[in-house]
Amino acid sequence: MGSSQTVMSVGACCFGIAIGYITYRTLVRAERSAVSDLATVVTAVGGGAVTGLFDPQQGDAFGWYSIGLLVGLAVFFLLFFAMNGKAATAVFMGAPDAGRPQKDESPKTTGADVRPRR
């Protein structure tokens, strides 16, 4: 099996995007983070490390693993959206107010409470 520099480069980019998203979703958007949440990130990184043990000159396993990881994340998101709808997906992604019209919370003033500037 030959090695492709393009697959390795695209794979490295995909790996960074996937790991960045998993870490962001796990640590920032979760209400409480636990050791099991971090295990998700460690597992994805560990999979990449295992494929990295193979000689990159002999094959591009890491590149294909990384591309598959990102494609898997995208497929999960699309399936979740298709099965649960926009509102549930927005809540799952950490944006419960997405799609709702924003209400104007600026204070209403009347002529009686407007003071001239000095």
Side-chain angles (χ1 to χ4, degrees), residues 42-64:
V42 171
T43 301
V45 171
V50 168
T51 61
L53 293 175
F54 299 103
D55 185 12
Q57 302 301 321
Q58 299 297 320
D60 45 16
F62 173 76
W64 286 115

Side-chain angles (χ1 to χ4, degrees), residues 20-95:
Y21 173 76
I22 292 169
T23 305
Y24 171 75
R25 178 76 178 102
T26 301
L27 298 178
V28 175
R29 292 187 174 181
E31 290 182 23
R32 296 182 298 149
S33 292
V35 173
S36 61
D37 297 331
L38 292 176
T40 304
V41 177
V42 171
T43 301
V45 171
V50 168
T51 61
L53 293 175
F54 299 103
D55 185 12
Q57 302 301 321
Q58 299 297 320
D60 45 16
F62 173 76
W64 286 115
Y65 168 80
S66 302
I67 292 168
L69 183 65
L70 186 60
V71 168
L73 282 172
V75 168
F76 170 78
F77 174 77
L78 293 173
L79 286 174
F80 189 90
F81 180 78
M83 293 182 347
N84 297 293
K86 183 178 181 180
T89 303
V91 170
F92 179 74
M93 296 301 291

Side-chain angles (χ1 to χ4, degrees), residues 4-14 63:
S4 168
Q5 189 63 31
T6 303
V7 170
M8 293 299 278
S9 296
V10 170
C13 183
C14 290

Side-chain angles (χ1 to χ4, degrees), residues 101-108:
Q102 298 294 321
K103 40 183 183 172
D104 184 20
E105 297 192 14
S106 59
K108 305 290 183 219

